[in-house]
PDB file of all heavy atoms in Angstrom:
ATOM      1  N   LEU A 260       4.598  -9.247  10.888  1.00  0.00           N
ATOM      2  CA  LEU A 260       3.839  -9.276  12.136  1.00  0.00           C
ATOM      3  C   LEU A 260       2.571  -8.421  12.096  1.00  0.00           C
ATOM      4  O   LEU A 260       1.502  -8.892  12.497  1.00  0.00           O
ATOM      5  CB  LEU A 260       4.727  -8.846  13.309  1.00  0.00           C
ATOM      6  CG  LEU A 260       5.447  -9.967  14.064  1.00  0.00           C
ATOM      7  CD1 LEU A 260       6.478  -9.389  15.022  1.00  0.00           C
ATOM      8  CD2 LEU A 260       4.459 -10.852  14.814  1.00  0.00           C
ATOM      9  N   PRO A 261       2.635  -7.169  11.619  1.00  0.00           N
ATOM     10  CA  PRO A 261       1.403  -6.362  11.614  1.00  0.00           C
ATOM     11  C   PRO A 261       0.278  -6.967  10.789  1.00  0.00           C
ATOM     12  O   PRO A 261      -0.900  -6.696  11.048  1.00  0.00           O
ATOM     13  CB  PRO A 261       1.867  -5.021  11.030  1.00  0.00           C
ATOM     14  CG  PRO A 261       3.329  -4.955  11.345  1.00  0.00           C
ATOM     15  CD  PRO A 261       3.809  -6.370  11.199  1.00  0.00           C
ATOM     16  N   THR A 262       0.613  -7.803   9.793  1.00  0.00           N
ATOM     17  CA  THR A 262      -0.417  -8.435   8.980  1.00  0.00           C
ATOM     18  C   THR A 262      -1.319  -9.337   9.805  1.00  0.00           C
ATOM     19  O   THR A 262      -2.483  -9.565   9.454  1.00  0.00           O
ATOM     20  CB  THR A 262       0.238  -9.264   7.850  1.00  0.00           C
ATOM     21  OG1 THR A 262       1.113  -8.421   7.098  1.00  0.00           O
ATOM     22  CG2 THR A 262      -0.800  -9.856   6.907  1.00  0.00           C
ATOM     23  N   VAL A 263      -0.809  -9.828  10.916  1.00  0.00           N
ATOM     24  CA  VAL A 263      -1.570 -10.751  11.762  1.00  0.00           C
ATOM     25  C   VAL A 263      -2.771 -10.066  12.389  1.00  0.00           C
ATOM     26  O   VAL A 263      -3.821 -10.687  12.578  1.00  0.00           O
ATOM     27  CB  VAL A 263      -0.669 -11.367  12.852  1.00  0.00           C
ATOM     28  CG1 VAL A 263      -1.467 -12.263  13.798  1.00  0.00           C
ATOM     29  CG2 VAL A 263       0.474 -12.151  12.219  1.00  0.00           C
ATOM     30  N   TRP A 264      -2.650  -8.784  12.705  1.00  0.00           N
ATOM     31  CA  TRP A 264      -3.726  -8.124  13.446  1.00  0.00           C
ATOM     32  C   TRP A 264      -4.275  -6.870  12.785  1.00  0.00           C
ATOM     33  O   TRP A 264      -5.208  -6.263  13.293  1.00  0.00           O
ATOM     34  CB  TRP A 264      -3.249  -7.731  14.846  1.00  0.00           C
ATOM     35  CG  TRP A 264      -2.080  -6.776  14.860  1.00  0.00           C
ATOM     36  CD1 TRP A 264      -2.105  -5.432  14.597  1.00  0.00           C
ATOM     37  CD2 TRP A 264      -0.726  -7.093  15.123  1.00  0.00           C
ATOM     38  NE1 TRP A 264      -0.849  -4.900  14.692  1.00  0.00           N
ATOM     39  CE2 TRP A 264       0.028  -5.903  15.030  1.00  0.00           C
ATOM     40  CE3 TRP A 264      -0.058  -8.278  15.463  1.00  0.00           C
ATOM     41  CZ2 TRP A 264       1.402  -5.869  15.236  1.00  0.00           C
ATOM     42  CZ3 TRP A 264       1.304  -8.236  15.676  1.00  0.00           C
ATOM     43  CH2 TRP A 264       2.020  -7.044  15.553  1.00  0.00           C
ATOM     44  N   GLN A 265      -3.746  -6.482  11.657  1.00  0.00           N
ATOM     45  CA  GLN A 265      -4.104  -5.170  11.120  1.00  0.00           C
ATOM     46  C   GLN A 265      -4.403  -5.239   9.637  1.00  0.00           C
ATOM     47  O   GLN A 265      -3.738  -5.971   8.902  1.00  0.00           O
ATOM     48  CB  GLN A 265      -2.936  -4.205  11.370  1.00  0.00           C
ATOM     49  CG  GLN A 265      -3.297  -2.742  11.279  1.00  0.00           C
ATOM     50  CD  GLN A 265      -2.170  -1.870  11.847  1.00  0.00           C
ATOM     51  OE1 GLN A 265      -1.152  -2.377  12.291  1.00  0.00           O
ATOM     52  NE2 GLN A 265      -2.358  -0.585  11.823  1.00  0.00           N
ATOM     53  N   VAL A 266      -5.389  -4.500   9.195  1.00  0.00           N
ATOM     54  CA  VAL A 266      -5.736  -4.408   7.783  1.00  0.00           C
ATOM     55  C   VAL A 266      -5.545  -2.968   7.329  1.00  0.00           C
ATOM     56  O   VAL A 266      -6.090  -2.042   7.930  1.00  0.00           O
ATOM     57  CB  VAL A 266      -7.197  -4.840   7.530  1.00  0.00           C
ATOM     58  CG1 VAL A 266      -7.574  -4.615   6.076  1.00  0.00           C
ATOM     59  CG2 VAL A 266      -7.387  -6.311   7.902  1.00  0.00           C
ATOM     60  N   GLY A 267      -4.742  -2.781   6.276  1.00  0.00           N
ATOM     61  CA  GLY A 267      -4.537  -1.440   5.739  1.00  0.00           C
ATOM     62  C   GLY A 267      -3.916  -0.495   6.756  1.00  0.00           C
ATOM     63  O   GLY A 267      -2.990  -0.850   7.477  1.00  0.00           O
ATOM     64  N   ASP A 268      -4.454   0.704   6.810  1.00  0.00           N
ATOM     65  CA  ASP A 268      -3.931   1.740   7.703  1.00  0.00           C
ATOM     66  C   ASP A 268      -4.745   1.868   8.986  1.00  0.00           C
ATOM     67  O   ASP A 268      -4.702   2.901   9.657  1.00  0.00           O
ATOM     68  CB  ASP A 268      -3.905   3.092   6.985  1.00  0.00           C
ATOM     69  CG  ASP A 268      -2.976   3.080   5.775  1.00  0.00           C
ATOM     70  OD1 ASP A 268      -1.925   2.414   5.852  1.00  0.00           O
ATOM     71  OD2 ASP A 268      -3.300   3.731   4.757  1.00  0.00           O
ATOM     72  N   ALA A 269      -5.485   0.834   9.331  1.00  0.00           N
ATOM     73  CA  ALA A 269      -6.277   0.884  10.561  1.00  0.00           C
ATOM     74  C   ALA A 269      -5.357   1.060  11.764  1.00  0.00           C
ATOM     75  O   ALA A 269      -4.212   0.605  11.756  1.00  0.00           O
ATOM     76  CB  ALA A 269      -7.098  -0.392  10.712  1.00  0.00           C
ATOM     77  N   PRO A 270      -5.834   1.725  12.816  1.00  0.00           N
ATOM     78  CA  PRO A 270      -5.008   1.905  14.010  1.00  0.00           C
ATOM     79  C   PRO A 270      -4.610   0.561  14.618  1.00  0.00           C
ATOM     80  O   PRO A 270      -5.344  -0.428  14.533  1.00  0.00           O
ATOM     81  CB  PRO A 270      -5.936   2.676  14.959  1.00  0.00           C
ATOM     82  CG  PRO A 270      -6.950   3.321  14.077  1.00  0.00           C
ATOM     83  CD  PRO A 270      -7.146   2.369  12.933  1.00  0.00           C
ATOM     84  N   SER A 271      -3.441   0.522  15.210  1.00  0.00           N
ATOM     85  CA  SER A 271      -2.988  -0.709  15.855  1.00  0.00           C
ATOM     86  C   SER A 271      -3.866  -1.021  17.059  1.00  0.00           C
ATOM     87  O   SER A 271      -4.200  -0.139  17.843  1.00  0.00           O
ATOM     88  CB  SER A 271      -1.531  -0.555  16.320  1.00  0.00           C
ATOM     89  OG  SER A 271      -1.161  -1.638  17.145  1.00  0.00           O
TER      90      SER A 271
END
Side-chain angles (χ1 to χ4, degrees):
L260 268 170
T262 305
V263 176
W264 60 76
Q265 198 167 0
V266 175
D268 297 324
S271 170

